[in-house]
Amino acid sequence: MPRKSEPLRKLGFLTIGLFDEHDPGAGHRSTLDVIVLGEELGFDSAWVRHRHLQFGISSPVAVLAAATQRTSRIQLGTAVIPLGWENPLRLAEDLATVDVLSGGRLNPGISVGPPMHWDDVKGALYPETADVENFSYDRVRRLLDFVGGEKVTDFSGVEGIEVWSDRVQPHAAGLRDRIWYGGGSLRSARWAGEQGLNLLASNVVQSEGSLDFAETQRTLIQTFREHGGGRVSQGLVVIPTDSATPEQRAKYEAYVAGRADRAGKTFGPRGFMFERDLVGTSAEIAEQLYAHAGFQEVDEVAFALPFSFAHEDYVQILTDIATKLGPELGWSPA
């Protein structure tokens, strides 16, 4: 458990990559600049969110392909790709290609279930097969098999001047071990652990009958490990204010206050809960993290950046995380 004497081992961050509908290139370039800054500051990993039919990154694999050519060390992850929108075979090819381009730095995060607003998008997404699509864990198993090098077809060999493979090409050795599952329920934690996946624990969990977010997350992480799971990363929203201007502090505090009423409640038929965001000096945030039952179970994090801030705000927040908060947690830059 990370305590004062046990340092945080890996420090990452997560960004949504918002953009203006009428100037999308600027937002995407800003995301790439933030990833480059993360590498310069010594972060261990940078993660991008996934948003369909919104003004956020709809193709994180493509964005990370660009990031591979602007960075050399930082790990690059997706948090998370909803597989309901994907063909596992085609996605396996894309992931393997980007992993090869990165030199083995890709960390795909995935999830399952029907796409959000399913009734509104199914006609466009699966016009012929919507009623028979399988959105269960089987979709993950297919992706894992394809990424891991299992046979896709019985055909291989030479046909004319073309050479055919019976498995996904390129094959990215080691990529299967770097796949993460975004799970917020005990059922998902058990299943992900049994598959030998890594676990992305975010600021959302299923209540499982309790309104204590931190204890629920602790139980989820312990369940994952008890069932053979790999690494665990926690992703709370933290906003250090050490070098922030007075205007930035006021903006950050208003943002957190506007979301505070989500804490201690459940939402939707599955009873999801949101953890409160943390804002303050790095010393203040560190004390709150050390007291957090979920944080006590992990030795790596990918702190989530707030959705709607300006590029200069992200520069300040990331700089404070790397130079102030990280050291408060015992972390040293790579």
Side-chain angles (χ1 to χ4, degrees):
M1 297 180 185
R3 300 187 188 281
K4 296 296 185 184
S5 61
E6 299 178 24
L8 186 69
R9 188 169 57 88
K10 290 187 180 295
L11 176 64
F13 66 91
L14 168 65
T15 180
I16 192 173
L18 289 180
F19 57 84
D20 186 322
E21 178 183 9
H22 304 292
D23 185 18
H28 284 76
R29 288 190 293 273
S30 174
T31 296
L32 292 172
D33 288 342
V34 163
I35 293 173
V36 171
L37 174 64
E39 176 161 285
E40 293 171 349
L41 290 169
F43 278 90
D44 297 291
S45 62
W47 303 74
V48 292
R49 291 185 185 271
H50 199 149
R51 288 293 186 269
H52 286 298
L53 302 179
Q54 298 182 42
F55 304 108
I57 295 172
S58 61
S59 182
V61 180
V63 171
L64 293 183
T68 67
Q69 304 305 293
R70 298 182 59 174
T71 59
S72 61
R73 177 199 55 79
I74 195 168
Q75 298 284 303
L76 303 168
T78 64
V80 290
I81 297 172
L83 291 188
W85 285 78
E86 305 289 341
N87 178 297
L89 175 55
R90 275 294 298 118
L91 180 60
E93 292 178 322
D94 287 346
L95 295 177
T97 299
V98 176
D99 192 48
V100 168
L101 289 171
S102 74
R105 292 185 285 134
L106 187 64
N107 287 254
I110 57 175
S111 66
V112 294
M116 293 180 65
H117 300 287
W118 171 238
D119 288 337
D120 298 313
V121 303
K122 65 182 182 181
L125 188 57
Y126 298 110
E128 309 296 335
T129 62
D131 293 337
V132 296
E133 288 292 331
N134 183 348
F135 298 123
S136 71
Y137 293 136
D138 288 341
R139 216 174 184 92
V140 181
R141 293 190 185 97
R142 290 171 59 201
L143 178 69
L144 297 178
D145 287 345
F146 297 150
V147 168
E150 297 293 328
K151 290 179 64 174
V152 174
T153 174
D154 291 331
F155 173 74
S156 64
V158 179
E159 186 177 63
I161 63 171
E162 297 187 74
V163 180
W164 296 80
S165 172
D166 59 5
R167 65 177 182 170
V168 165
Q169 296 298 337
H171 175 64
L175 179 58
R176 167 64 175 81
D177 295 333
R178 281 179 271 113
I179 294 182
W180 300 69
Y181 190 79
S185 69
L186 290 178
R187 176 173 177 263
S188 289
R190 283 191 297 269
W191 182 86
E194 290 166 354
Q195 309 311 307
L197 294 168
N198 305 299
L199 180 68
L200 289 170
S202 70
N203 64 337
V204 184
V205 297
Q206 193 168 316
S207 68
E208 311 290 354
S210 169
L211 292 180
D212 188 324
F213 181 100
E215 287 296 337
T216 300
Q217 189 171 71
R218 182 210 292 272
T219 302
L220 185 148
I221 293 171
Q222 291 173 339
T223 299
F224 171 75
R225 289 188 173 131
E226 289 167 0
H227 288 80
R231 295 162 59 190
V232 181
S233 178
Q234 187 195 43
L236 303 182
V237 175
V238 302
I239 312 174
T241 59
D242 302 86
S243 66
T245 66
E247 292 76 18
Q248 285 175 317
R249 290 193 189 96
K251 180 200 298 187
Y252 301 164
E253 290 166 358
Y255 177 87
V256 171
R259 288 156 49 98
D261 64 351
R262 304 188 308 172
K265 301 176 182 177
T266 61
F267 296 85
R270 297 176 62 187
F272 283 111
M273 299 190 297
F274 295 89
E275 182 59 296
R276 61 192 179 88
D277 306 330
L278 303 182
V279 61
T281 66
S282 290
E284 292 168 343
I285 292 174
E287 287 303 314
Q288 294 177 75
L289 287 171
Y290 279 120
H292 193 283
F295 180 81
Q296 292 170 7
E297 289 292 323
V298 302
D299 63 0
E300 53 187 293
V301 296
F303 290 134
L305 295 175
F307 279 11
S308 55
F309 290 178
H311 181 82
E312 57 268 23
D313 298 328
Y314 295 138
V315 171
Q316 176 266 312
I317 292 169
L318 286 177
T319 301
D320 279 359
I321 290 176
T323 62
K324 303 291 185 181
L325 179 56
E328 286 279 353
L329 301 173
W331 173 82
S332 298

